[in-house]
Amino acid sequence: SWFALLGFLTVRYERRRCQATSNSFTPFGRVSPGPPQTQRAPPTYPMKVLVVEDQSMFNELLSKACRTHFSAACVVVSAFTASAAKALLQQGGYTLMLLDIQLPDMNGFDFAVEAIQIEPLLKIVGVTAYCSCYAIYRLSRSPLQAFIDKSIDTLDELWRAFQAIDAGENYYSPPVAALRNELNTSPTSFKKLLSDREITILCRVGS
């Protein structure tokens, strides 16, 4: 049964975690802030931005942020569901998408894959209020170029994400980068102790 399988994988994870802890006492890695990024002027070429966020307050905030940051030539369109966003993308012409990971009709990571198939050159900034280890795990296997924790980060982090993407770089806000580093360096991380298949099974059981 699913419950028996869940119990088996949980026990296996705990055994591997205990073994890793006894064999290594390396502390979690931390991401240093690093030198401040060179400020770049917002792009002046015409842009079409799609904001996909189901909470109206955050949708309005992100849309306003895009209008403030980019030139007057920027067109900002809002969507509140993945299905609505998909229909808009199929119209063509979008260069940037701000994507909430927790949408009512679809997981944002899954939708990002579909979005890239529709608009291959689309740049995607992921936003979430639930920055978990599993979200970071999904991030590493997604086409997102930037990731922001909207429950902690300020709009300054969004500006930095825009600047990085415009320069052809990826950007992860400090809380995201720290969790990402922990997931990759901790000897007790589920990513190191479980296979991709085991992680997928556990997530399906828990969903």
Side-chain angles (χ1 to χ4, degrees), residues 119-194:
E119 195 76 74
L121 299 181
L122 183 70
K123 304 298 183 182
I124 306 176
V125 177
V127 295
T128 185
Y130 309 98
C131 193
S132 64
C133 288
Y134 181 63
I136 301 302
Y137 171 78
R138 291 294 305 272
L139 172 65
S140 67
R141 287 158 172 73
S142 77
L144 274 63
Q145 284 81 23
F147 203 61
I148 306 293
D149 186 341
K150 66 182 180 182
S151 67
I152 300 175
D153 293 323
T154 66
L155 286 178
D156 288 340
E157 295 303 325
L158 192 59
W159 306 151
R160 294 185 181 100
F162 289 157
Q163 291 166 0
I165 287 178
D166 189 49
E169 302 169 354
N170 291 346
Y171 183 79
Y172 308 112
S173 69
V176 173
L179 191 55
R180 183 170 176 263
N181 195 42
E182 291 180 359
L183 187 65
N184 290 331
T185 60
S186 169
T188 59
S189 165
F190 72 85
K191 181 181 176 182
K192 291 184 178 294
L193 300 179
L194 298 175

Side-chain angles (χ1 to χ4, degrees), residues 74-85:
C74 177
V75 175
V76 181
V77 181
S78 295
F80 295 88
T81 63
S83 57

Side-chain angles (χ1 to χ4, degrees), residues 4-135:
L5 180 59
L6 177 60
F8 170 75
L9 290 177
T10 301
V11 170
R12 174 180 290 187
Y13 169 73
E14 287 299 326
R15 285 178 178 173
R16 293 176 185 173
R17 184 178 65 83
C18 291
Q19 291 173 353
T21 301
S22 62
N23 293 333
S24 174
F25 293 94
T26 304
F28 284 161
R30 296 292 179 181
V31 176
S32 60
Q37 291 189 346
T38 302
Q39 295 296 316
R40 303 182 182 91
T44 56
Y45 51 82
M47 291 188 65
K48 195 174 181 182
V49 180
L50 178 59
V51 176
V52 189
E53 164 65 66
D54 63 309
Q55 297 184 29
S56 57
M57 181 184 70
F58 278 111
N59 194 307
E60 183 179 352
L61 177 64
L62 293 172
S63 298
K64 185 177 180 180
C66 291
R67 295 187 183 97
T68 300
H69 181 77
F70 297 114
S71 67
C74 177
V75 175
V76 181
V77 181
S78 295
F80 295 88
T81 63
S83 57
K86 183 176 181 179
L88 290 168
L89 286 174
Q90 288 171 337
Q91 297 175 12
Y94 287 93
T95 52
L96 175 66
M97 178 169 69
L98 274 64
L99 176 64
D100 182 24
I101 299 305
Q102 298 291 337
L103 295 172
D105 57 341
M106 191 175 188
N107 180 275
F109 289 116
D110 295 330
F111 178 65
V113 175
E114 291 191 9
I116 290 297
Q117 293 174 348
I118 298 171
E119 195 76 74
L121 299 181
L122 183 70
K123 304 298 183 182
I124 306 176
V125 177
V127 295
T128 185
Y130 309 98
C131 193
S132 64
C133 288
Y134 181 63

